[in-house]
Amino acid sequence: MWGQFVVRHPVFPEIKSTSPDGRFQIRVAVWEARNSLWVESPAIYNAISQAVLLTFQSEMWSLDKAEWKTSEVVDITLRKYPGNHTPIELKATIDCEKQTAKLRSCPAVPLAELERLLESRLTWN
């Protein structure tokens, strides 16, 4: 819930990026936060089993960029709406096979802990 609206995304319909071997997908649920400001709430799926590997509890996380390093590892760049925080964006390295995530200066954590870790890195203005 943000302000006056509640956004719910039971499915992530748009495939934003696929791993080189096709096993993993980054999908987004796109919604307009305010006039011409779009948020792309991400999720990572196993494309073969359709298992959801990563979702965020907050729909305010938005995917800015995804860059596959290998067939299992992807760097994602995220920001959190409304954006009144530093740093402006955070980059996480996701190992889809191991189901872990890593930020620049910390050890890998299970994907279920990524959102908490990202939140701890933000300073709100």
Side-chain angles (χ1 to χ4, degrees), residues 4-73:
Q4 296 178 0
F5 39 179
V6 175
V7 183
R8 296 284 177 232
H9 300 292
V11 294
F12 292 81
E14 184 180 329
I15 298 171
K16 191 73 171 180
S17 181
T18 301
S19 64
D21 65 1
R23 287 188 301 151
F24 303 104
Q25 295 175 334
I26 298 175
R27 300 180 192 175
V28 294
V30 181
W31 59 279
E32 190 171 15
R34 59 177 187 238
N35 191 26
S36 299
L37 178 66
W38 295 91
V39 174
E40 296 186 356
S41 301
I44 299 179
Y45 282 74
N46 178 315
I48 297 165
S49 69
Q50 296 301 307
V52 179
L53 304 179
L54 173 68
T55 60
F56 293 95
Q57 291 216 335
S58 171
E59 295 157 338
M60 302 302 168
W61 287 104
S62 186
L63 178 72
D64 281 345
K65 183 178 178 184
E67 184 178 346
W68 292 94
K69 299 298 185 185
T70 69
S71 291
E72 297 87 23
V73 177

Side-chain angles (χ1 to χ4, degrees), residues 82-97:
N84 55 339
H85 53 74
T86 54
I88 294 170
E89 61 186 20
L90 292 166
K91 185 176 182 179
T93 300
I94 308 296
D95 187 321
C96 298
E97 189 70 36

